Amino acid sequence: MGSIYLKVLTVVLSFSLSEISAMQNDITISVFQVTSKSMTVRWSHYSGASSYKISASPINSLGPSVFAQFSGNTVMGSVNTLSPNTVYSLQVEAMDTLGNVLSSAALEKSSAPPVPTVNQAYSKQSNSMTVEFSEVSGASSYIVRAESPVGDFFSETPVPSSPGTVLQLSPYSDYRLSVMSVSSPGRSQPSPAVLSKTVVGSPGLKSTSPSNDTIVLTWSPVQHAVLYSLGVVRQGSSSVLTLNTTEPFVTFNNLEPGTTYCIKGVAWTLDGRYGDDLTVCQITRPPSPESIQVSVTQGRSVGLTVYWQTVQGADDYLVRASSGQNCSASASYCIISPLLCGQNHSVNVTAQNSAGPSNPSDPEEFITFPCPPDRTWIEEPEAGSCVVRWAETSLVEFYTAFIKRDDGVEEFCNTTDTSCHFQCLCGYAYLSTVFAYNEAGSSPPGDLLNYTTIPCCPENVTIDLISTETLEITWSSVRGVDFYETMAVETDSVVQCKDTAPVCVLSDLRCNSQYRTVVTPCSEMGGCNRTCTALTHETDPCSPEILSVSQTNSSTSVSVLYTAPNTPNTTYTVTAVGLADTHTCQSNTTSCQLTQLPCGATYDVTAYASTAVGRSLPSYSVPLETGPCCPTYLTVNQVTQAMTNVTWSPATGAGSYITSLISSRGHARCHTMDTHCLMGCITCETSYSVSLEAISRTGHKSECSYHGFSSSACCPSSVKLYRMANSSVRIYWRSSGPQNYTVDLIGTGSNYTCEPTPLSRFCDIADVMCGDIYTVVVAPVGQDGTKVNFCHQRVYSVSCSGNNVGLVVYRGKRSVT
């Protein structure tokens, strides 16, 4: 790797050293500048050279050779005294201190053409100078050089031949002028200079035409000028008017209007030389237009067309109206648009060109078409008769009002007044506009009025009472209606609805009230027709309220008390609806008697009111339960001396019973749900009144009375049995009063009965078998012969020895003799 690098480096170094050696052995030469008598060359520096020698030898010529020598530090030098248009061989030699040539280079180059000669120099324009010179052989072009004497200006201007002109000079200034010939090798030395002066500048003419027959010319004074010459030529003419002046202004009068004049001006110096000339052309203002005419034109917008006769020299025309509007045109007419209405104005026309406007033409008076009325309205003083009215407008001869109905029917009227009458039917929309007219034509249409009459009153209005407090109103549809207002008015109450359909239901009305009902058709544009006839309808009567239901002393009659919220001529009906029957009563007062109601029945009692209009809703239902029925039969059986058994048949509607036995000596009472009752504490030999209260489950009572009941005679007390002779026994008792009795002696083997004499207190029974046990019953006998069978029994044992009578225990109870 290292050996390869050294080889490459050796090759590179060898190449560089050889190149440096070659460069040191060569010298180059080039021409820097060539003139007709000299050449300047440039050469490359040669290392080790102490001097350089330049030699120029003519080729194909007998002229002498020339040379020049320069120090070793110089790289540019010239050889002089050459001949023009001669080809020279140029050689540069690098020499050492001993004069030995180290290196040399040569080339061939021709010298420039000869120096030309200036013949003359003159100025025709203030900013230029023209030089005439003699042309030389070998020159392809020339250079004119201009220099100011003070050195503040220098220029070289290439020219192809003589003469040559130098530009961008200052007026009335001195310049040194020379010429050089030019060929491909180079250019010659400048010719001997000549001194010359430029002429003065032209006057800066400015023209105006203040009127149609004058032109005013002005300019700024020209320096060094003592006189100005002006020549005026009219366009199309060959005659020239010349004028000299020392002032920087002049006025030309009595010129033709609308005509172009060209004016040429020059300035003269004191030495009699004139300078630049300048020509300006100025047109005079045009004459005033004539034959002005106006007419109104109709189009998308109304305009005023103004006509005139064209004039000489006018480029365009300007029309001005006293309204402030204007128009312009290059032809013989123009249109002022938009034309304002209702104006009395004048118009004039001015012709214009580059000089300015002419005097205005004579004014032409005109009036514009009238303005439409600025305020229009429609009145309907009475139904069916309408009037279109409008505000008065100026410059109007007459008006036309157009009215169109929404079904296509049209009408119009012409009038000099400010109103127009027309028939307007209800329920229609009318479009109306008003035009004003004068000699100039019609105004634009006025405001488009949209007037809608009030809708017609509906027909076939019917009112139905669809519920107690609700009215349904229907009617035939009406054209032009947006909605209907239906109102029902009572004394201090108003109910209304708004709908687009020809039907309305007014609910939540007062019952038993007269309502004045009216249907009002309305439209958004025409408003509402408040003239429609009202209809009166009465609502159903108000529902009564049952205050109380009470059963009277009669079990078949019920008194119903209720409110009477309606007018006095109202009939009230009370209905009692049971499972099997219905009872009603009617009254004009606040109460009613339901009669012949069965006992033990339940009813729903309602009441309603009736008038000629109809019937009210029923009142709230009140339950009614009639008193329960009395049992069809009741029996009282005396079980013991102090106890009875009362039984009765079941009673319809009764849930419980209270049975009472009442006497002056006391009473007995029993409350039971059964149909029988044991009653104690009965007093013997007492008459009782018998009553029964049948009570329903809800507490309703029915008083039931039955035949009286008399308790049986009192059982005797202190019953005793005595043994007597001859197998007889005597039964003795104690009685509380006179009473008939019967005595039974019942044994296991035989029975005995004794009928004591009336009012006696003992009874004897013979032949009583001894040795047996006997039950002794002493019972009173009623007047009807009925024997009391519940008196207390005494049991005795009758022995067969002596007079013994023994007390025995009977059924676990001890009886005392």
Side-chain angles (χ1 to χ4, degrees):
M1 183 69 177
S3 61
I4 294 175
Y5 175 76
L6 290 175
K7 290 179 180 179
V8 172
L9 182 58
T10 301
V11 171
V12 171
L13 290 175
S14 299
F15 175 78
S16 299
L17 292 174
S18 63
E19 183 181 21
I20 293 172
S21 175
M23 290 178 62
Q24 287 179 345
N25 293 330
D26 292 334
I27 186 174
T28 59
I29 184 176
S30 63
V31 176
F32 177 75
Q33 186 179 20
V34 175
T35 69
S36 56
K37 294 182 179 182
S38 67
M39 290 185 186
T40 302
V41 296
R42 185 167 48 193
W43 56 88
S44 60
H45 178 73
Y46 188 85
S47 180
S50 61
S51 63
Y52 297 94
K53 179 182 178 182
I54 303 174
S55 59
S57 300
I59 300 175
N60 302 323
S61 175
L62 298 177
S65 297
V66 295
F67 67 90
Q69 193 165 357
F70 302 92
S71 68
N73 296 325
T74 304
V75 292
M76 181 180 292
S78 297
V79 288
N80 299 312
T81 66
L82 302 181
S83 298
N85 283 336
T86 302
V87 179
Y88 285 91
S89 173
L90 296 176
Q91 184 178 24
V92 177
E93 295 174 319
M95 296 179 293
D96 58 13
T97 55
L98 298 178
N100 298 319
V101 177
L102 301 177
S103 177
S104 65
L107 57 78
E108 291 183 357
K109 188 68 175 179
S110 176
S111 59
V115 176
T117 300
V118 175
N119 297 327
Q120 66 172 340
Y122 55 87
S123 172
K124 290 186 178 181
Q125 299 291 331
S126 61
N127 65 342
S128 66
M129 189 78 72
T130 299
V131 179
E132 294 180 1
F133 53 90
S134 59
E135 297 183 1
V136 296
S137 62
S140 60
S141 63
Y142 300 89
I143 294 176
V144 178
R145 175 179 292 176
E147 298 176 82
S148 65
V150 295
D152 59 352
F153 178 83
F154 176 86
S155 73
E156 290 183 342
T157 303
V159 297
S161 61
S162 177
T165 300
V166 180
L167 302 176
Q168 296 180 347
L169 304 180
S170 297
Y172 205 71
S173 298
D174 291 325
Y175 290 94
R176 295 170 60 85
L177 302 167
S178 60
V179 180
M180 293 175 287
S181 60
V182 180
S183 65
S184 58
R187 62 184 182 177
S188 70
Q189 280 81 8
S191 67
V194 296
L195 184 65
S196 184
K197 184 186 293 288
T198 55
V199 298
V200 294
S202 64
L205 301 180
K206 295 180 180 178
S207 62
T208 60
S209 178
S211 65
N212 59 11
D213 64 347
T214 61
I215 292 176
V216 175
L217 203 64
T218 61
W219 59 90
S220 298
V222 178
Q223 191 176 11
H224 307 295
V226 295
L227 183 68
Y228 303 96
S229 294
L230 303 171
V232 181
V233 179
R234 188 185 68 185
Q235 189 175 29
S237 173
S238 60
S239 62
V240 179
L241 174 64
T242 303
L243 178 66
N244 294 325
T245 180
T246 59
E247 300 295 334
F249 58 85
V250 68
T251 300
F252 300 97
N253 297 309
N254 301 319
L255 304 179
E256 293 184 11
T259 303
T260 300
Y261 291 87
C262 291
I263 305 167
K264 180 178 181 180
V266 296
W268 293 82
T269 59
L270 188 60
D271 56 2
R273 297 176 63 201
Y274 65 88
D276 295 342
D277 63 79
L278 178 65
T279 300
V280 295
C281 293
Q282 175 66 52
I283 189 170
T284 55
R285 294 193 182 194
S288 299
E290 297 178 349
S291 303
I292 309 302
Q293 296 179 355
V294 295
S295 66
V296 176
T297 58
Q298 302 290 335
R300 297 184 64 182
S301 62
V302 180
L304 182 71
T305 302
V306 183
Y307 299 90
W308 59 87
Q309 186 175 358
T310 58
V311 295
Q312 178 180 339
D315 294 333
D316 55 27
Y317 301 86
L318 176 65
V319 179
R320 287 189 178 91
S322 57
S323 62
Q325 295 173 285
N326 57 65
C327 66
S328 61
S330 58
S332 60
Y333 73 94
C334 73
I335 299 174
I336 294 178
S337 178
L339 189 61
L340 303 179
C341 63
Q343 295 182 331
N344 190 351
H345 290 298
S346 63
V347 64
N348 59 59
V349 182
T350 301
Q352 299 182 124
N353 59 22
S354 59
S358 70
N359 292 326
S361 67
D362 293 334
E364 180 71 19
E365 302 294 329
F366 74 94
I367 63 171
T368 62
F369 56 89
C371 295
D374 60 356
R375 191 166 64 91
T376 311
W377 68 97
I378 295 179
E379 296 177 353
E380 189 175 1
E382 59 183 32
S385 179
C386 293
V387 183
V388 182
R389 299 187 186 276
W390 55 89
E392 187 173 2
T393 306
S394 60
L395 302 178
V396 174
E397 296 179 5
F398 67 93
Y399 302 91
T400 300
F402 290 89
I403 301 101
K404 183 174 183 179
R405 205 166 64 191
D406 60 2
D407 61 352
V409 176
E410 295 184 3
E411 61 178 298
F412 69 92
C413 71
N414 294 327
T415 179
T416 58
D417 201 356
T418 57
S419 64
C420 181
H421 293 260
F422 67 96
Q423 182 183 10
C424 52
L425 303 179
C426 59
Y428 284 89
Y430 293 86
L431 294 177
S432 177
T433 187
V434 179
F435 291 84
Y437 291 86
N438 63 14
E439 62 182 12
S442 168
S443 72
D447 293 337
L448 184 63
L449 300 179
N450 189 343
Y451 182 78
T452 302
T453 56
I454 58 176
C456 301
C457 291
E459 298 179 350
N460 303 324
V461 180
T462 59
I463 303 177
D464 293 320
L465 189 64
I466 59 175
S467 69
T468 306
E469 297 163 353
T470 302
L471 293 176
E472 182 184 53
I473 302 96
T474 58
W475 57 88
S476 301
S477 298
V478 179
R479 77 183 312 276
V481 172
D482 292 321
F483 61 91
Y484 301 90
E485 287 183 354
T486 307
M487 183 179 299
V489 181
E490 202 249 348
T491 304
D492 57 351
S493 174
V494 177
V495 180
Q496 64 180 359
C497 71
K498 180 188 289 187
D499 204 339
T500 57
V503 62
C504 179
V505 174
L506 299 175
S507 56
D508 196 25
L509 304 179
R510 290 184 180 180
C511 54
N512 194 231
S513 299
Q514 289 277 354
Y515 280 90
R516 185 173 175 271
T517 304
V518 62
V519 178
T520 301
C522 299
S523 69
E524 296 291 343
M525 300 297 295
C528 298
N529 190 344
R530 304 295 181 184
T531 66
C532 300
T533 304
L535 300 178
T536 301
H537 202 286
E538 184 178 352
T539 56
D540 279 342
C542 302
S543 299
E545 179 184 357
I546 297 178
L547 300 177
S548 65
V549 178
S550 60
Q551 193 164 337
T552 61
N553 293 334
S554 171
S555 61
T556 61
S557 178
V558 170
S559 177
V560 181
L561 184 65
Y562 45 83
T563 60
N566 301 294
T567 53
N569 61 343
T570 305
T571 300
Y572 296 92
T573 300
V574 178
T575 302
V577 180
L579 295 176
D581 57 348
T582 300
H583 298 265
T584 60
C585 66
Q586 289 184 338
S587 173
N588 294 109
T589 64
T590 58
S591 64
C592 185
Q593 296 291 121
L594 292 171
T595 60
Q596 298 181 352
L597 298 178
C599 58
T602 58
Y603 294 93
D604 286 332
V605 180
T606 56
Y608 59 87
S610 301
T611 62
V613 177
R615 191 173 77 170
S616 72
L617 294 173
S619 66
Y620 294 123
S621 178
V622 175
L624 168 64
E625 186 177 66
T626 59
C629 298
C630 291
T632 55
Y633 67 88
L634 181 143
T635 59
V636 181
N637 295 316
Q638 192 164 0
V639 180
T640 65
Q641 180 174 289
M643 183 173 65
T644 60
N645 185 16
V646 183
T647 60
W648 56 87
S649 61
T652 303
S656 62
Y657 306 91
I658 297 177
T659 306
S660 300
L661 300 179
I662 301 173
S663 70
S664 58
R665 300 174 66 181
H667 65 277
R669 194 171 194 181
C670 173
H671 193 181
T672 181
M673 295 177 66
D674 299 326
T675 57
H676 58 85
C677 186
L678 288 175
M679 303 177 64
C681 301
I682 299 301
T683 303
C684 54
E685 297 181 358
T686 302
S687 294
Y688 288 89
S689 61
V690 180
S691 65
L692 181 142
E693 261 187 322
I695 305 172
S696 70
R697 292 179 178 83
T698 60
H700 286 74
K701 299 178 181 180
S702 293
E703 299 287 343
C704 305
S705 299
Y706 297 93
H707 294 293
F709 163 73
S710 296
S711 59
S712 62
C714 297
C715 290
S717 60
S718 300
V719 176
K720 295 181 180 179
L721 188 146
Y722 295 97
R723 176 77 184 263
M724 298 180 65
N726 300 323
S727 301
S728 62
V729 293
R730 171 173 286 186
I731 302 168
Y732 179 81
W733 62 88
R734 184 180 295 171
S735 176
S736 58
Q739 179 64 50
N740 295 326
Y741 295 93
T742 182
V743 178
D744 291 320
L745 185 64
I746 301 169
T748 59
S750 58
N751 298 329
Y752 304 92
T753 300
C754 174
E755 298 289 339
T757 59
L759 303 179
S760 61
R761 298 291 183 268
F762 65 89
C763 184
D764 294 334
I765 299 175
D767 298 324
V768 174
M769 182 179 298
C770 61
D772 200 356
I773 295 175
Y774 291 95
T775 301
V776 178
V777 179
V778 179
V781 178
Q783 295 180 357
D784 57 356
T786 301
K787 180 178 69 171
V788 177
N789 55 7
F790 49 73
C791 289
H792 188 64
Q793 300 175 356
R794 301 285 182 171
V795 180
Y796 291 91
S797 174
V798 179
S799 65
C800 293
S801 61
N803 294 326
N804 292 335
V805 178
L807 182 65
V808 299
V809 177
Y810 181 68
R811 295 181 183 175
K813 297 183 179 179
R814 185 177 181 274
S815 299
V816 180
T817 59

